[in-house]
Amino acid sequence: MSNKIQLDVVSDVVCPWCIIGYKNLQTAIDELGVADKIELQWQPFELNPNMPPEGQDLREHVAEKYGSSREESDKARINISQRGAEVGFTFNFFEKMKIVNTRDAHILLEYAYEHGKQTELKIAFFTAAFTDQKDVSNRETLLDVVNKIGLDVKQAGARLEEAKYREQVIEHERFWQGLGISAVPAVVFNRSSALSGAQPVEAYKQVLTELLAEL
């Protein structure tokens, strides 16, 4: 039996609730003092896998997908920004903000996992998208982030050019969708149970405490 809990965090880098949920998960781990008992891996999920390269205006996208009015969109942005501030993350929503394709980002996250820097890159992508107002579908932007956390830009860039790594991301997405995950964030515990949505710290602590008792 493993002496660690496997956490698979299924998410997208343009999902605001994913970073909020992760921050609560990390707080739960820190408060329990069990970082050494956790193996965490980010798993790919694309909110908009068919999004074209030019992306789509975020307000327009939200209106089409959820039927949200501008007033509802404004309220959602305020709520998300407040929730972000509570967990120490800054959201800088702006007019003309776009929703974009994120497959390249997921390819690079799988590369980062091989080098022990996946969480660092994931947080950096969230920051680029929501705090720094960057286009995380732009390869130059993505590789600049890769460079800043100390990964090899040439190797990372080469990954983006090879079809097999693109197919690998799609296969991984299908695997998690096949297990019933249709919305993110989703935290999967030991590949046997899951919590969906940005759960509060106490919810994560409860599940982790139960699993720790079984180690």
Side-chain angles (χ1 to χ4, degrees), residues 51-52 56 58 83 85 116-118 132 166 171 179 199 201-202 208:
M51 184 62 64
Q56 183 183 17
L58 182 57
R83 290 287 297 275
K117 285 180 171 281
Q118 193 185 36
D132 300 336
R166 196 162 298 278
E171 286 176 14
L179 293 182
Q199 297 289 327
V201 173
E202 290 306 316
L208 289 173

Side-chain angles (χ1 to χ4, degrees), residues 19-24 27 80-91 201:
I19 180 60
I20 293 170
Y22 169 73
K23 287 283 192 175
N24 285 342
T27 296
I80 290 169
S81 296
Q82 290 175 340
R83 290 287 297 275
E86 290 169 6
V87 299
F89 186 85
T90 302
F91 287 96
V201 173

Side-chain angles (χ1 to χ4, degrees), residues 151-167:
L151 286 170
D152 189 297
V153 173
K154 286 187 177 180
Q155 286 183 8
R159 285 287 182 104
L160 297 177
E161 299 296 337
E162 291 196 45
K164 68 178 180 179
Y165 294 113
R166 196 162 298 278
E167 289 301 317

